[in-house]
Amino acid sequence: ILLAGLVVLAIANMVLGVFLRYAMVPITDYLNLTPFRFFWVEELGEYSLAWLTMLGAGIGLAERAHFTLRLVAHHLPLQVQRVIHIVNHAIIIAFGLLTAWYGGRLVETNITLISPGLQISLAWLYASAMVGGLLIAVYGFAMAIVEYREIVHERGDEIGAITGAGD
């Protein structure tokens, strides 16, 4: 719902920006009125797209909606594939934590700066990287745990089959 709201906000903001630029500016010029200031539209679009991108990346990871290229791994044994998936998730976790850390540093650096159009702290813009990075790391960790449990479960089944347990 949050992502849908951000998409609607970004689209409505773009439509409003186009309307103000190509309809209102000529009207105010023609009527010799004070021009309508709408430079805040670009900043609102920037903020909404930054948050949409970072939250969407985390949620896309949780939903396994990201593109994967399977060239070699699917030919390997299932256990090896699972280990590759865990290593992949470890890399994703590291990327998410790095993004969150740098996002936090940007928030600290820019917390006192005010955006000229919206008159809000620039920290809100960079907080999207921090929150999105944390989401990526948390979802990556959760997916790595799921993969690890599947490996342990399969090994338990193999041991049970060898020893005849459960017969």
Side-chain angles (χ1 to χ4, degrees), residues 17-100:
V18 169
F19 172 76
L20 291 174
R21 177 166 290 146
Y22 294 107
M24 291 304 292
V25 169
I27 290 171
T28 56
D29 287 346
Y30 180 76
L31 297 174
N32 201 19
L33 298 172
T34 305
F36 185 74
R37 299 188 184 274
F38 57 90
F39 53 89
W40 54 269
V41 172
E42 288 183 32
E43 283 186 16
L44 183 62
E46 184 178 327
Y47 278 61
S48 62
L49 289 176
W51 278 94
L52 177 67
T53 300
M54 295 309 294
L55 293 177
I59 293 171
L61 181 65
E63 298 289 326
R64 296 181 184 241
H66 289 290
F67 172 75
T68 57
L69 184 61
R70 300 177 191 265
L71 292 175
V72 177
H74 70 282
H75 293 295
L76 299 172
L78 187 60
Q79 290 292 94
V80 176
Q81 289 182 34
R82 296 226 188 265
V83 170
I84 289 171
H85 287 298
I86 289 175
V87 170
N88 185 27
H89 292 305
I91 293 169
I92 290 170
I93 293 166
F95 173 77
L97 291 174
L98 186 68
T99 303

Side-chain angles (χ1 to χ4, degrees), residues 81-124:
Q81 289 182 34
R82 296 226 188 265
V83 170
I84 289 171
H85 287 298
I86 289 175
V87 170
N88 185 27
H89 292 305
I91 293 169
I92 290 170
I93 293 166
F95 173 77
L97 291 174
L98 186 68
T99 303
W101 186 73
Y102 275 111
R105 299 266 322 260
L106 286 169
V107 167
E108 287 176 18
T109 303
N110 294 297
I111 199 159
T112 58
L113 299 177
I114 303 298
S115 69
L118 295 174
Q119 296 296 312
I120 60 174
S121 173
L122 284 175
W124 286 105

